[in-house]
Amino acid sequence: MRALRILGDSPAHRASVCAQGGLVPCVQMLNSPDPDVVCTAVRAVSQLSHDCTLDCAEQLSLAVPTLVILANGEGVKAAVRQAALGTLSNLCSQGALRPMLGNAGAIDLLIAEVKAVLGAPTRCLPLVRSLCLCCREALNRRRVKELGGLELLLDILRDPHYRSAHYKIIAAFLHYCYDTTALAMLSSGGWHPCWQRG
């Protein structure tokens, strides 16, 4: 598994590992009773899920509940938690998996982690991007709104350290254009889209 993680050093190599079935044994080992095996497996899965392809997402779909448990961090090493959370974040790039991720509790985890690492933009930006992607589906939009994600994204929009994410955040807000509750929330928070100015 460590060798597979090292081999996944580029999008082409990761796609090749997934296409040849290299991801499957790593996924299976996520449920090992040996904590060291789980740590190695989740780190391999995290690396192989970067620039996640649909093939990779499909192979990881059955592991989502396990990854959510590991990302909750109860009784696991910090490295395991971070790798599991990174994998869930990577999976958000595939629209087919986002409803499942929302149902499993991934959005709550993303919001909590963004809040925890706001002072470290390098670590936080991929999570913000994933949270913005989750605003594309109706059920996940509702979850983001109910869990305080809109207020969090508004705070990030005001932060000059996150300038590179501002376009993604504004694009995410546009998905709420028919949600009057969300629009009122955004407006009261200081965001005034152009259609409200006219």
Side-chain angles (χ1 to χ4, degrees):
M1 288 186 292
R2 194 173 115 195
L4 289 171
R5 173 172 60 83
I6 293 168
L7 285 169
D9 61 350
S10 72
H13 290 164
R14 288 190 286 273
S16 179
V17 170
C18 291
Q20 295 180 63
L23 191 56
V24 174
C26 299
V27 169
Q28 292 170 344
M29 289 298 103
L30 290 173
N31 294 306
S32 170
D34 186 332
D36 291 332
V37 172
V38 172
C39 184
T40 304
V42 75
R43 289 182 67 201
V45 164
S46 181
Q47 174 68 15
L48 293 170
S49 67
H50 278 292
D51 302 310
C52 187
T53 63
L54 182 57
D55 180 32
C56 171
E58 287 173 347
Q59 292 184 45
L60 280 171
S61 60
L62 292 177
V64 166
T66 303
L67 290 166
V68 168
I69 291 170
L70 294 173
N72 271 315
E74 296 177 10
V76 299
K77 298 177 183 176
V80 170
R81 180 181 174 279
Q82 288 299 321
L85 192 60
T87 305
L88 294 170
S89 179
N90 293 337
L91 289 174
C92 288
S93 65
Q94 283 298 330
L97 235 65
R98 285 196 293 265
M100 178 191 293
L101 291 166
N103 288 335
I107 291 172
D108 202 352
L109 288 169
L110 286 172
I111 290 172
E113 188 67 10
V114 168
K115 290 178 179 177
V117 299
L118 265 177
T122 304
R123 286 178 59 193
C124 195
L125 278 168
L127 302 171
V128 171
R129 174 184 170 274
S130 298
L131 191 57
C132 289
L133 288 172
C134 288
C135 294
R136 296 184 178 185
E137 294 83 29
L139 283 175
N140 285 338
R141 276 199 297 278
R142 190 182 71 192
R143 290 186 180 100
V144 171
K145 180 176 68 174
E146 291 174 350
L147 294 168
L150 290 180
E151 294 91 339
L152 178 59
L153 290 173
L154 267 175
D155 288 341
I156 294 169
L157 194 59
R158 297 186 190 100
D159 191 334
H161 294 102
Y162 286 92
R163 195 168 284 113
S164 63
H166 288 180
Y167 175 81
K168 291 181 177 66
I169 293 170
I170 292 169
F173 287 166
L174 292 176
H175 290 288
Y176 289 89
C177 65
Y178 297 109
D179 184 333
T180 53
T181 306
L183 288 177
M185 189 183 300
L186 290 170
S187 181
S188 65
W191 187 64
H192 301 282
C194 59
W195 64 78
Q196 288 187 340
R197 292 178 192 157

